[in-house]
Amino acid sequence: MGLRDGEALPRRKKMKEIQYKPVIHKGEKRIAVIFKYDSKLITALRKKTAAKWSETMRAWHIADTVEHRIKCGLALEGEETITSESPEAVSAIIKEKQPSLPEKTSTENSFNNLPTLELIPILNKNKEDRIGLFVTNNSNINGIVKRLPAVKWSENQQCWHIPCTEKDYEGMCLALNGLVKIDNKRLAQFLVKRKTANAVQQKIGQKKPATSEQMLSISQQNLCLLQRMVEHLQLKAYSTSTLRTYKNEVSIFFQTLQNRQADTLTSEDVRKYIHHCIYELKLTENTVHSRLNALKFLYEQVLGHEKFFFEIPRPKKKMQLPKVFSQSDIAAIINSVTNKKHKTMLMLAYSAGLRVSEVVSLKTYHIDSKRMTILVSEGKGKKDRIVTLSPVLLVMLRDYAQTYTPNKNGYLFEGNTKDTAYSTRSLQEVLQAAKKKAGIIRPGSIHSLRHSFATHLIEKGTDVTMIQKLLGHNDLKTTMLYLHTSNKDLLKIISPLDDLELK
């Protein structure tokens, strides 16, 4: 179990009458709790926390544990006193404001003379979060650190490091109890950031946690703004794909800002950033458009800055034709596949002009053999559409169903885990492997099968408006692009070179 992200540093509140202070008492790390005499409060405190009285400090004290520090409102910072007026402090026991601590005791002075151990989040070679242990050269301390469980040495960071988990952290504290002052400021800041970042990851359906490298380069304020933007996208019911794209684009923008708050920028600041993306980072026109769309949503939709991007021009996109396979290429690709599921999926993508996401999202009941149609449910733009079911594909689907017996109410093509859709990335890899096996070097992905579907229909004389409906295009101009990929009319043109009498 990892450290309690974000719980290490509760919101600090100013307070006049109560204080909690980390101390060393009789060689043991404790937390002093100072308050005016109250018999009921003392009884509750002793019952809930096993508190003890110190004549030396003239104060009650409890065990210095991660749990108590969190409940007392203390950061993971050795000597710093942090007060809290929260009635829930010390596990909802302390309910009255208390006086400040007396003058420093001899115990505190001895604590301040200890060497400082700074804990800094780092990444190891496997991109895993670790806690770097940085302490002034001290043979005694280093000797103890070397013997910690799961400790490793980093040549790059020139420090020992342990896993970023609660178990390893507490084990380290116990081993070095009374020997060092622990400075957890940077670690605590990272834990707060990691909690916010992981919350964003979960919201957009990404299971992989964010890394410390990403977190430390984005301020906490901007991370909270990123989380707010994702929530706003969800409220407007944007697709998961758009959520991920906007989140990634804005994250890169925030990493550039570092500690500068995004909501303080002007339109001119963003214009300079876009210029930087084009002329210094050399980003493609499509990437710049994607980043502009994400930032426009952030500033105009989330922060409410109307016409924030009115004076920021967009780069002109390149006019690129879709990548298309010939029918002989597609036949070679399909014939090279021996796995029945893979072959069926590739045939489906080409026969109906489906996007890769639409192929893997199909449910078994979306296939209507009586009407010879396929229902594409919530395709791009959350639009349903009906496409034709090829008789050749129907035969293949029936053969596939006998072998794999898909759930009638579930996905037509399941992934490795039951009741989950087949991975789009895996299907892309299937196509690339089939191309290699078939000896086809022409570039193209699963989406090229969709482009090929439209192009080949045009070459067969199919009306372009019908192709628009089959592809689910809103604008006919998008479909008209395939007129440029067809060679139907080009074959009728005789090159003037053919009229020359060459020797």
mmCIF file of all heavy atoms in Angstrom, residues 290-317:
data_model
loop_
_atom_site.group_PDB
_atom_site.id
_atom_site.type_symbol
_atom_site.label_atom_id
_atom_site.label_comp_id
_atom_site.label_asym_id
_atom_site.label_seq_id
_atom_site.Cartn_x
_atom_site.Cartn_y
_atom_site.Cartn_z
ATOM 1 N N SER A 290 -4.764 20.544 -32.363
ATOM 2 C CA SER A 290 -5.249 19.776 -31.217
ATOM 3 C C SER A 290 -4.970 20.512 -29.910
ATOM 4 O O SER A 290 -5.835 20.585 -29.025
ATOM 5 C CB SER A 290 -4.584 18.396 -31.199
ATOM 6 O OG SER A 290 -4.977 17.658 -30.067
ATOM 7 N N ARG A 291 -3.766 21.081 -29.794
ATOM 8 C CA ARG A 291 -3.419 21.815 -28.567
ATOM 9 C C ARG A 291 -4.239 23.091 -28.449
ATOM 10 O O ARG A 291 -4.671 23.475 -27.349
ATOM 11 C CB ARG A 291 -1.923 22.126 -28.558
ATOM 12 C CG ARG A 291 -1.397 22.611 -27.202
ATOM 13 C CD ARG A 291 0.078 22.348 -27.052
ATOM 14 N NE ARG A 291 0.381 20.931 -27.180
ATOM 15 C CZ ARG A 291 1.614 20.431 -27.190
ATOM 16 N NH1 ARG A 291 2.648 21.242 -27.070
ATOM 17 N NH2 ARG A 291 1.820 19.140 -27.323
ATOM 18 N N LEU A 292 -4.455 23.763 -29.566
ATOM 19 C CA LEU A 292 -5.286 24.973 -29.554
ATOM 20 C C LEU A 292 -6.708 24.655 -29.104
ATOM 21 O O LEU A 292 -7.306 25.407 -28.325
ATOM 22 C CB LEU A 292 -5.296 25.609 -30.943
ATOM 23 C CG LEU A 292 -4.178 26.606 -31.256
ATOM 24 C CD1 LEU A 292 -4.152 26.918 -32.736
ATOM 25 C CD2 LEU A 292 -4.347 27.880 -30.441
ATOM 26 N N ASN A 293 -7.253 23.551 -29.599
ATOM 27 C CA ASN A 293 -8.614 23.164 -29.214
ATOM 28 C C ASN A 293 -8.703 22.907 -27.714
ATOM 29 O O ASN A 293 -9.669 23.295 -27.052
ATOM 30 C CB ASN A 293 -9.042 21.916 -29.983
ATOM 31 C CG ASN A 293 -9.252 22.180 -31.460
ATOM 32 O OD1 ASN A 293 -9.499 23.321 -31.859
ATOM 33 N ND2 ASN A 293 -9.156 21.152 -32.276
ATOM 34 N N ALA A 294 -7.687 22.231 -27.177
ATOM 35 C CA ALA A 294 -7.681 21.915 -25.748
ATOM 36 C C ALA A 294 -7.560 23.184 -24.912
ATOM 37 O O ALA A 294 -8.280 23.364 -23.916
ATOM 38 C CB ALA A 294 -6.536 20.955 -25.432
ATOM 39 N N LEU A 295 -6.653 24.085 -25.300
ATOM 40 C CA LEU A 295 -6.469 25.323 -24.547
ATOM 41 C C LEU A 295 -7.672 26.253 -24.690
ATOM 42 O O LEU A 295 -8.043 26.961 -23.737
ATOM 43 C CB LEU A 295 -5.202 26.037 -25.027
ATOM 44 C CG LEU A 295 -3.883 25.307 -24.739
ATOM 45 C CD1 LEU A 295 -2.701 26.087 -25.298
ATOM 46 C CD2 LEU A 295 -3.699 25.072 -23.244
ATOM 47 N N LYS A 296 -8.287 26.246 -25.851
ATOM 48 C CA LYS A 296 -9.496 27.052 -26.056
ATOM 49 C C LYS A 296 -10.602 26.581 -25.115
ATOM 50 O O LYS A 296 -11.316 27.386 -24.508
ATOM 51 C CB LYS A 296 -9.948 26.943 -27.517
ATOM 52 C CG LYS A 296 -11.192 27.776 -27.856
ATOM 53 C CD LYS A 296 -11.538 27.632 -29.330
ATOM 54 C CE LYS A 296 -12.832 28.344 -29.673
ATOM 55 N NZ LYS A 296 -12.723 29.807 -29.541
ATOM 56 N N PHE A 297 -10.732 25.264 -24.971
ATOM 57 C CA PHE A 297 -11.747 24.723 -24.056
ATOM 58 C C PHE A 297 -11.419 25.128 -22.616
ATOM 59 O O PHE A 297 -12.310 25.504 -21.844
ATOM 60 C CB PHE A 297 -11.807 23.200 -24.170
ATOM 61 C CG PHE A 297 -12.876 22.571 -23.328
ATOM 62 C CD1 PHE A 297 -14.164 22.397 -23.824
ATOM 63 C CD2 PHE A 297 -12.621 22.165 -22.030
ATOM 64 C CE1 PHE A 297 -15.168 21.831 -23.041
ATOM 65 C CE2 PHE A 297 -13.613 21.591 -21.242
ATOM 66 C CZ PHE A 297 -14.884 21.425 -21.752
ATOM 67 N N LEU A 298 -10.134 25.048 -22.257
ATOM 68 C CA LEU A 298 -9.720 25.380 -20.896
ATOM 69 C C LEU A 298 -10.049 26.828 -20.555
ATOM 70 O O LEU A 298 -10.666 27.102 -19.517
ATOM 71 C CB LEU A 298 -8.214 25.129 -20.736
ATOM 72 C CG LEU A 298 -7.576 25.627 -19.431
ATOM 73 C CD1 LEU A 298 -8.085 24.802 -18.252
ATOM 74 C CD2 LEU A 298 -6.060 25.556 -19.515
ATOM 75 N N TYR A 299 -9.656 27.748 -21.410
ATOM 76 C CA TYR A 299 -9.798 29.163 -21.081
ATOM 77 C C TYR A 299 -11.209 29.696 -21.310
ATOM 78 O O TYR A 299 -11.681 30.534 -20.531
ATOM 79 C CB TYR A 299 -8.780 29.989 -21.877
ATOM 80 C CG TYR A 299 -7.395 29.927 -21.271
ATOM 81 C CD1 TYR A 299 -6.445 29.036 -21.752
ATOM 82 C CD2 TYR A 299 -7.052 30.743 -20.199
ATOM 83 C CE1 TYR A 299 -5.175 28.970 -21.183
ATOM 84 C CE2 TYR A 299 -5.797 30.685 -19.626
ATOM 85 C CZ TYR A 299 -4.857 29.793 -20.115
ATOM 86 O OH TYR A 299 -3.613 29.722 -19.535
ATOM 87 N N GLU A 300 -11.865 29.235 -22.346
ATOM 88 C CA GLU A 300 -13.183 29.794 -22.660
ATOM 89 C C GLU A 300 -14.323 29.037 -21.984
ATOM 90 O O GLU A 300 -15.291 29.651 -21.534
ATOM 91 C CB GLU A 300 -13.375 29.834 -24.180
ATOM 92 C CG GLU A 300 -12.390 30.768 -24.876
ATOM 93 C CD GLU A 300 -12.674 30.937 -26.363
ATOM 94 O OE1 GLU A 300 -13.612 30.275 -26.870
ATOM 95 O OE2 GLU A 300 -11.964 31.722 -27.020
ATOM 96 N N GLN A 301 -14.200 27.705 -21.912
ATOM 97 C CA GLN A 301 -15.282 26.915 -21.320
ATOM 98 C C GLN A 301 -15.134 26.757 -19.809
ATOM 99 O O GLN A 301 -16.103 26.884 -19.066
ATOM 100 C CB GLN A 301 -15.315 25.525 -21.967
ATOM 101 C CG GLN A 301 -15.620 25.529 -23.449
ATOM 102 C CD GLN A 301 -17.069 25.833 -23.753
ATOM 103 O OE1 GLN A 301 -17.953 25.489 -22.984
ATOM 104 N NE2 GLN A 301 -17.322 26.488 -24.866
ATOM 105 N N VAL A 302 -13.900 26.461 -19.341
ATOM 106 C CA VAL A 302 -13.683 26.197 -17.921
ATOM 107 C C VAL A 302 -13.477 27.495 -17.136
ATOM 108 O O VAL A 302 -14.120 27.714 -16.112
ATOM 109 C CB VAL A 302 -12.480 25.258 -17.715
ATOM 110 C CG1 VAL A 302 -12.262 24.978 -16.230
ATOM 111 C CG2 VAL A 302 -12.683 23.954 -18.476
ATOM 112 N N LEU A 303 -12.569 28.364 -17.629
ATOM 113 C CA LEU A 303 -12.271 29.606 -16.915
ATOM 114 C C LEU A 303 -13.182 30.760 -17.292
ATOM 115 O O LEU A 303 -13.181 31.799 -16.638
ATOM 116 C CB LEU A 303 -10.805 29.997 -17.165
ATOM 117 C CG LEU A 303 -9.763 29.032 -16.585
ATOM 118 C CD1 LEU A 303 -8.358 29.469 -16.985
ATOM 119 C CD2 LEU A 303 -9.877 28.950 -15.067
ATOM 120 N N GLY A 304 -13.975 30.573 -18.360
ATOM 121 C CA GLY A 304 -14.976 31.578 -18.717
ATOM 122 C C GLY A 304 -14.435 32.843 -19.357
ATOM 123 O O GLY A 304 -15.060 33.900 -19.287
ATOM 124 N N HIS A 305 -13.240 32.769 -19.995
ATOM 125 C CA HIS A 305 -12.684 33.932 -20.701
ATOM 126 C C HIS A 305 -13.217 33.947 -22.133
ATOM 127 O O HIS A 305 -12.715 33.236 -22.995
ATOM 128 C CB HIS A 305 -11.157 33.876 -20.722
ATOM 129 C CG HIS A 305 -10.534 33.865 -19.358
ATOM 130 N ND1 HIS A 305 -11.155 34.392 -18.247
ATOM 131 C CD2 HIS A 305 -9.324 33.379 -18.928
ATOM 132 C CE1 HIS A 305 -10.365 34.252 -17.197
ATOM 133 N NE2 HIS A 305 -9.256 33.628 -17.574
ATOM 134 N N GLU A 306 -14.224 34.755 -22.386
ATOM 135 C CA GLU A 306 -14.857 34.782 -23.697
ATOM 136 C C GLU A 306 -13.907 35.334 -24.763
ATOM 137 O O GLU A 306 -13.159 36.285 -24.517
ATOM 138 C CB GLU A 306 -16.130 35.628 -23.658
ATOM 139 C CG GLU A 306 -17.231 35.033 -22.786
ATOM 140 C CD GLU A 306 -18.507 35.844 -22.848
ATOM 141 O OE1 GLU A 306 -18.574 36.790 -23.665
ATOM 142 O OE2 GLU A 306 -19.434 35.537 -22.086
ATOM 143 N N LYS A 307 -13.949 34.733 -25.941
ATOM 144 C CA LYS A 307 -13.157 35.146 -27.103
ATOM 145 C C LYS A 307 -11.669 35.289 -26.763
ATOM 146 O O LYS A 307 -10.971 36.166 -27.258
ATOM 147 C CB LYS A 307 -13.699 36.475 -27.654
ATOM 148 C CG LYS A 307 -15.122 36.380 -28.163
ATOM 149 C CD LYS A 307 -15.585 37.705 -28.750
ATOM 150 C CE LYS A 307 -17.016 37.585 -29.293
ATOM 151 N NZ LYS A 307 -17.486 38.862 -29.871
ATOM 152 N N PHE A 308 -11.198 34.393 -25.898
ATOM 153 C CA PHE A 308 -9.799 34.430 -25.466
ATOM 154 C C PHE A 308 -8.853 34.149 -26.623
ATOM 155 O O PHE A 308 -7.737 34.637 -26.662
ATOM 156 C CB PHE A 308 -9.590 33.397 -24.351
ATOM 157 C CG PHE A 308 -8.312 33.568 -23.577
ATOM 158 C CD1 PHE A 308 -8.188 34.555 -22.612
ATOM 159 C CD2 PHE A 308 -7.228 32.740 -23.804
ATOM 160 C CE1 PHE A 308 -7.016 34.714 -21.884
ATOM 161 C CE2 PHE A 308 -6.047 32.890 -23.097
ATOM 162 C CZ PHE A 308 -5.941 33.886 -22.129
ATOM 163 N N PHE A 309 -9.325 33.349 -27.591
ATOM 164 C CA PHE A 309 -8.483 32.948 -28.712
ATOM 165 C C PHE A 309 -8.851 33.676 -29.999
ATOM 166 O O PHE A 309 -8.465 33.258 -31.081
ATOM 167 C CB PHE A 309 -8.586 31.427 -28.932
ATOM 168 C CG PHE A 309 -7.797 30.635 -27.944
ATOM 169 C CD1 PHE A 309 -8.242 30.483 -26.643
ATOM 170 C CD2 PHE A 309 -6.596 30.049 -28.286
ATOM 171 C CE1 PHE A 309 -7.521 29.767 -25.724
ATOM 172 C CE2 PHE A 309 -5.860 29.333 -27.376
ATOM 173 C CZ PHE A 309 -6.313 29.188 -26.084
ATOM 174 N N PHE A 310 -9.608 34.765 -29.870
ATOM 175 C CA PHE A 310 -10.100 35.479 -31.044
ATOM 176 C C PHE A 310 -8.950 35.984 -31.917
ATOM 177 O O PHE A 310 -9.031 35.958 -33.152
ATOM 178 C CB PHE A 310 -10.988 36.651 -30.606
ATOM 179 C CG PHE A 310 -11.596 37.415 -31.751
ATOM 180 C CD1 PHE A 310 -12.648 36.877 -32.470
ATOM 181 C CD2 PHE A 310 -11.103 38.659 -32.123
ATOM 182 C CE1 PHE A 310 -13.220 37.560 -33.541
ATOM 183 C CE2 PHE A 310 -11.661 39.359 -33.182
ATOM 184 C CZ PHE A 310 -12.715 38.801 -33.895
ATOM 185 N N GLU A 311 -7.854 36.446 -31.303
ATOM 186 C CA GLU A 311 -6.753 37.037 -32.050
ATOM 187 C C GLU A 311 -5.579 36.073 -32.238
ATOM 188 O O GLU A 311 -4.511 36.488 -32.669
ATOM 189 C CB GLU A 311 -6.268 38.301 -31.343
ATOM 190 C CG GLU A 311 -7.315 39.409 -31.288
ATOM 191 C CD GLU A 311 -6.805 40.659 -30.604
ATOM 192 O OE1 GLU A 311 -5.670 40.614 -30.088
ATOM 193 O OE2 GLU A 311 -7.532 41.658 -30.584
ATOM 194 N N ILE A 312 -5.780 34.816 -31.900
ATOM 195 C CA ILE A 312 -4.716 33.830 -32.078
ATOM 196 C C ILE A 312 -4.983 33.044 -33.366
ATOM 197 O O ILE A 312 -5.934 32.265 -33.438
ATOM 198 C CB ILE A 312 -4.633 32.865 -30.886
ATOM 199 C CG1 ILE A 312 -4.372 33.647 -29.590
ATOM 200 C CG2 ILE A 312 -3.522 31.828 -31.111
ATOM 201 C CD1 ILE A 312 -4.308 32.789 -28.352
ATOM 202 N N PRO A 313 -4.178 33.246 -34.409
ATOM 203 C CA PRO A 313 -4.427 32.548 -35.684
ATOM 204 C C PRO A 313 -4.080 31.066 -35.583
ATOM 205 O O PRO A 313 -3.257 30.650 -34.769
ATOM 206 C CB PRO A 313 -3.492 33.272 -36.666
ATOM 207 C CG PRO A 313 -2.378 33.780 -35.807
ATOM 208 C CD PRO A 313 -2.993 34.126 -34.476
ATOM 209 N N ARG A 314 -4.713 30.276 -36.437
ATOM 210 C CA ARG A 314 -4.434 28.852 -36.511
ATOM 211 C C ARG A 314 -3.582 28.563 -37.743
ATOM 212 O O ARG A 314 -3.795 29.154 -38.794
ATOM 213 C CB ARG A 314 -5.731 28.039 -36.598
ATOM 214 C CG ARG A 314 -6.522 27.993 -35.305
ATOM 215 C CD ARG A 314 -7.830 27.259 -35.478
ATOM 216 N NE ARG A 314 -8.537 27.129 -34.219
ATOM 217 C CZ ARG A 314 -8.468 26.067 -33.421
ATOM 218 N NH1 ARG A 314 -7.713 25.028 -33.786
ATOM 219 N NH2 ARG A 314 -9.128 26.017 -32.295
ATOM 220 N N PRO A 315 -2.625 27.647 -37.610
ATOM 221 C CA PRO A 315 -1.802 27.306 -38.785
ATOM 222 C C PRO A 315 -2.637 26.583 -39.834
ATOM 223 O O PRO A 315 -3.546 25.818 -39.503
ATOM 224 C CB PRO A 315 -0.723 26.385 -38.202
ATOM 225 C CG PRO A 315 -1.342 25.797 -36.976
ATOM 226 C CD PRO A 315 -2.240 26.866 -36.422
ATOM 227 N N LYS A 316 -2.336 26.847 -41.080
ATOM 228 C CA LYS A 316 -3.052 26.197 -42.171
ATOM 229 C C LYS A 316 -2.659 24.727 -42.249
ATOM 230 O O LYS A 316 -1.478 24.378 -42.244
ATOM 231 C CB LYS A 316 -2.723 26.883 -43.501
ATOM 232 C CG LYS A 316 -3.526 26.364 -44.676
ATOM 233 C CD LYS A 316 -3.221 27.151 -45.947
ATOM 234 C CE LYS A 316 -4.049 26.634 -47.125
ATOM 235 N NZ LYS A 316 -3.751 27.401 -48.357
ATOM 236 N N LYS A 317 -3.668 23.860 -42.288
ATOM 237 C CA LYS A 317 -3.405 22.426 -42.344
ATOM 238 C C LYS A 317 -2.971 22.003 -43.745
ATOM 239 O O LYS A 317 -3.365 22.612 -44.739
ATOM 240 C CB LYS A 317 -4.664 21.636 -41.963
ATOM 241 C CG LYS A 317 -4.986 21.658 -40.480
ATOM 242 C CD LYS A 317 -6.164 20.738 -40.179
ATOM 243 C CE LYS A 317 -6.464 20.679 -38.702
ATOM 244 N NZ LYS A 317 -7.587 19.746 -38.400
#
